[in-house]
Amino acid sequence: MNIFFIGYMGSGKSTIGQKFSELLKYEYVDLDTYIQDREGLLIPEIFKTKGEIYFRKAENKYLKEVLHLEKTILSLGGGTPCYGNNMELITTSPKSKSVYLKSSIPNLVVRLYNERASRPLIAHLNDKDELTEFIGKHLFERSQYYSQSDITISTDNKSINDILEELVTKLF
Ligand code: S3P
């Protein structure tokens, strides 16, 4: 079985995905890291030098590659499910489950504010109010894709261990 972690930037996909892979003794792949390795560039550099459209095409191509892996936990980028046929590829992938890690807007703002410089889509936002407004609109557009996941786990006010326990209960 493969398990896909889906959710907005800062929702904990990488942290939870990595811990869950250790628990299950599965391989772990972070799609952003995979793209960076294959392209030989960091994500902000890809956005800057080649543009977002190039990035989205690369993301679709590499998603198709990682779909062939087995017994793997895959943390996707925040935008991965929302472009092209990506969510269809994820939901129809055999022997796989998708998990939406859902976080509230205020929690996302807290987690993303100090890291926004390294995230091309939010790097231009100047203060917490602008970030709050941006995330609110963006999440509203993206929720229709995220909510197609097999299961949804709210991460608000939960420890990593709480989330791991909930994953085991809901997935197996
Ligand atoms: C993006 C999220 C990022 C990365 C890229 C675009 C998005 O991944 O793929 O900067 O569109 O939300 P994380 O969600 O892992 O930060």
Side-chain angles (χ1 to χ4, degrees):
M1 173 155 108
N2 286 334
I3 301 167
F4 297 94
F5 281 96
I6 284 170
Y8 202 72
M9 291 176 272
S11 59
K13 302 180 295 286
S14 304
T15 310
I16 302 292
Q18 214 156 358
K19 297 264 179 211
F20 201 46
S21 74
E22 286 164 19
L23 190 72
L24 297 186
K25 305 207 166 23
Y26 275 33
E27 292 298 320
Y28 174 71
V29 173
D30 179 302
L31 185 60
D32 283 340
T33 309
Y34 188 91
I35 296 171
Q36 295 186 146
D37 291 347
R38 294 294 305 271
E39 293 286 311
L41 287 171
L42 297 174
I43 304 283
E45 292 168 348
I46 302 176
F47 270 75
K48 200 170 161 204
T49 60
K50 302 190 169 181
E52 184 172 356
I53 293 175
Y54 177 90
F55 174 78
R56 296 300 171 194
K57 283 190 184 155
E59 185 177 47
N60 175 265
K61 174 170 120 189
Y62 296 125
L63 172 67
K64 286 177 184 153
E65 287 185 13
V66 299
L67 284 175
H68 296 298
L69 299 171
E70 281 177 18
K71 233 184 154 196
T72 302
I73 306 277
L74 294 141
S75 294
L76 305 179
T80 313
C82 316
Y83 290 87
N85 64 343
N86 294 353
M87 197 59 194
E88 194 186 332
L89 290 172
I90 294 162
T91 55
T92 58
S93 172
K95 288 188 277 167
S96 70
K97 291 271 182 201
S98 49
V99 179
Y100 171 26
L101 293 179
K102 187 173 184 175
S103 306
S104 68
I105 296 168
N107 280 339
L108 291 171
V109 170
V110 169
R111 288 197 218 126
L112 290 170
Y113 186 67
N114 290 324
E115 303 176 6
R116 67 196 192 287
S118 61
R119 304 191 190 247
L121 295 180
I122 54 171
H124 63 288
L125 300 169
N126 295 314
D127 56 38
K128 286 193 177 168
D129 286 345
E130 279 188 20
L131 184 59
T132 305
E133 197 187 330
F134 180 89
I135 294 175
K137 286 186 186 156
H138 210 198
L139 199 53
F140 179 74
E141 290 163 11
R142 288 183 165 188
S143 297
Q144 56 175 311
Y145 299 98
Y146 295 159
S147 58
Q148 293 173 39
S149 302
D150 294 311
I151 66 167
T152 297
I153 295 199
S154 164
T155 62
D156 295 331
N157 309 316
K158 288 180 191 158
S159 68
I160 292 179
N161 278 343
D162 292 340
I163 297 169
L164 295 176
E165 272 180 30
E166 204 173 322
L167 279 165
V168 171
T169 311
K170 288 192 167 168
L171 284 170
F172 301 107

